[in-house]
């Protein structure tokens, strides 16, 4: 079997074949955070999904260039900067830092490139100019530049590729200035927004006057600059399908940088929302938890990561604290089993012919090959855990086979990044995990006195802090 993914563009499952003629390199872009505020765990569901995709591609031998932008200028940010009487940089760098600390805490790999919109203004201006040159962008008397859907369609393109849109009701020339709008208000959208007094100091000069870029053009410019005009994968949450991704396709393809017949993006993948009582977790509804909220309740980054990865990425599910408790006990079952296997293995080296190794790896790979079917992958993992536990209890597993089983899990855990099985010290009591989380937070805010005090308190209880690819973990000392 090889990887198949559900492509929003064709609304069907497709075999994943990268554009690279060597079949090795993969360009992957995931729309990153808008750094107006602390991200909530709904946002992180999407980023954990893209981390899982990247890790699985790497596991399958692809060399992934993973780009995740930071939207550090758009409508909401400007409102916050005004309200907080601060500067754009001061505001966005604070939330950007918090975002990356949380991302690390959730065991996500750092993307290969993290472009900020404000650092790509020349590329953005170049792209807007290309759209003007092709007669698809047009200026308005106030110094803004808009994208004409009518001209785009007349040039032979289809607006409404990722979803069906009723373009019959489209009134040529009608415009929408906001970065976010719904299907009912399809209209020409802003590429460049002329400076208005409310923008304060947030503006750049351009051939059309002072102003700032629209949100959609930022992602088109940054993705094409870093990955080329045609690349393999574009990911994001399902709320980005319209207008953001539809507009990205329109801008990028209308500018005409692709070779004839080539698309801007080959596969579009969209993650379903994390819900709370049936409604999308969002800042505007106020029904959200941040990672920090949950760490303060004593949960750990890996438990939250596990929960966010527990359902198929195209299925929405409700977040509850009970669900998180469930994630804790499921993870505890894996940890227990690995601790017992480690104990049984002692210092033995793995035997090569162990069957459980083959079963676990092949089973998980087969499940993930099928559009990242994690539900099936967890069924394989927990069947393997049961099988290992049975063999351990009946004392019919050799030290070599136990070592092989641990090795199999480590291989699989490069994809899941849960860090399970790396500690040989048994389960960490939740209150100590909470102390570790507190130390991380202290380090984040550069309160080193506090972080050292926590480290010493842990040490006094015979626990040391160990850095792993999934973030810091506690290990029993001595
Ligand atoms: P934003 O910072 O608002 O631009 O969102 C960052 C990412 O989080 C985008 O890919 C959104 O689609 C995604 N997102 C926002 N809310 C949720 C949610 N409740 N569940 C899953 N993903 C979400
Ligand atoms: Zn984007």
């Amino acid at each position: 079997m090889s990887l198949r993914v559900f492509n929003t563009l064709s609304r069907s499952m497709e075999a994943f074949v990268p554009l690279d003629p060597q079949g090795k390199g993969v360009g992957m872009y995931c729309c990153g955070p808008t750094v107006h505020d602390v991200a909530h765990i709904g946002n992180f569901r999407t980023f954990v999904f893209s981390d899982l995709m990247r890790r699985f591609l790497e596991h399958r031998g692809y060399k992934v260039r993973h780009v995740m932008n930071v939207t550090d200028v758009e409508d909401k940010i400007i409102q916050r900067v005004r309200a907080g009487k601060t500067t754009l940089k001061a505001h966005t760098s604070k939330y950007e830092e918090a975002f990356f600390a949380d991302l690390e805490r959730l065991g996500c790999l750092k993307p290969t490139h993290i472009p900020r919109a404000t650092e790509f203004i020349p590329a953005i201006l170049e792209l807007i100019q290309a759209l003007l040159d092709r007669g698809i962008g047009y200026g308005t008397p106030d110094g803004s530049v808009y994208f004409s859907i009518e001209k785009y369609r007349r040039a032979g393109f289809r607006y409404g590729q990722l979803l069906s849109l009723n373009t019959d009701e489209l009134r040529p020339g009608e415009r929408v200035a906001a970065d976010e709008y719904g299907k009912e208000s399809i209209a020409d959208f802003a590429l460049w927004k002329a400076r208005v007094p409310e923008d304060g100091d947030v503006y750049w000069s351009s051939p059309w006057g002072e102003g700032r870029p629209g949100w959609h053009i930022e992602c088109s410019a940054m993705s094409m600059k870093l990955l080329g005009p045609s690349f393999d994968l574009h990911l994001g949450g399902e709320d980005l399908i319209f207008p953001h991704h539809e507009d990205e396709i329109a801008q990028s393809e209308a500018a005409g940088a692709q070779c004839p017949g080539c698309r801007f993006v080959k596969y579009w993948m969209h993650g379903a929302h994390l819900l709370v009582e049936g409604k999308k977790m969002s800042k505007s509804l106020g029904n959200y938890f941040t990672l920090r909220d949950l760490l303060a309740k004593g949960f750990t980054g890996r438990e939250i990561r596990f929960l966010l990865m527990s359902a198929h990425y195209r299925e929405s599910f409700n977040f509850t604290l009970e669900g998180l408790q469930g994630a804790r006990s499921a993870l505890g079952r894996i940890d227990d089993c690995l601790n017992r296997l480690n104990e049984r293995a002692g210092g033995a080296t793995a035997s090569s012919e162990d069957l459980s190794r083959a079963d676990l790896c092949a089973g998980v790979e087969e499940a993930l090959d099928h559009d990242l079917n994690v539900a099936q992958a967890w069924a394989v993992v927990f069947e393997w855990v049961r099988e290992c536990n049975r063999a351990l209890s009946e004392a019919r597993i050799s030290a070599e086979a136990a070592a092989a089983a641990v090795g199999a899990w480590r291989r699989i855990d490069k994809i899941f990044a849960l860090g399970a099985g790396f500690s040989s010290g048994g389960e960490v009591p939740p209150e100590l995990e909470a102390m570790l989380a507190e130390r991380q937070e202290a380090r984040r805010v550069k309160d080193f006195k506090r972080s050292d005090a926590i480290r010493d308190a842990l040490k006094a209880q015979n626990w040391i802090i160990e850095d792993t690819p999934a973030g810091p973990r506690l290990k029993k000392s001595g």
Side-chain angles (χ1 to χ4, degrees), residues 29-32 69 71 215-216 219-220 234 240 244-245 248:
Y29 187 92
C30 179
C31 291
N69 69 298
T71 298
W215 171 37
H216 317 301
C219 279
S220 285
H234 198 313
L240 299 190
H244 188 54
H245 289 165
E248 273 192 48

Side-chain angles (χ1 to χ4, degrees), residues 167-189:
T167 40
D168 297 344
E169 286 174 11
L170 194 72
R171 282 198 291 265
E174 203 164 291
R175 292 191 284 270
V176 54
D179 281 329
E180 289 178 83
Y181 51 91
K183 266 207 301 193
E184 47 305 322
S185 45
I186 335 169
D188 293 356
F189 55 90

Side-chain angles (χ1 to χ4, degrees), residues 31-34 36 40 42-43 45-47 76 215 236-240 272-274 280-282:
C31 291
T34 304
H36 64 285
H40 54 69
N43 300 127
R45 180 180 184 196
T46 295
F47 300 120
K76 280 194 295 258
W215 171 37
E238 61 185 346
D239 54 326
L240 299 190
H273 286 149
L274 183 65
K280 177 187 171 191
M281 181 181 282
S282 68

Side-chain angles (χ1 to χ4, degrees), residues 313-366:
Y313 77 89
R314 282 191 289 122
E315 269 168 36
S316 50
F317 72 96
N318 276 307
F319 172 80
T320 59
L321 290 175
E322 294 77 59
L324 196 46
Q325 285 290 356
R328 168 173 287 176
S329 51
L331 209 43
R333 286 209 298 283
I334 302 178
D335 286 342
D336 276 348
C337 174
L338 283 152
N339 288 333
R340 289 178 71 195
L341 285 169
N342 267 320
E343 214 171 279
R344 178 75 188 95
T349 31
S351 61
S352 54
E353 79 283 10
D354 182 67
L355 278 179
S356 65
R357 177 191 173 105
D359 285 354
L360 178 69
C361 293
V364 168
E365 283 165 358
E366 190 185 331

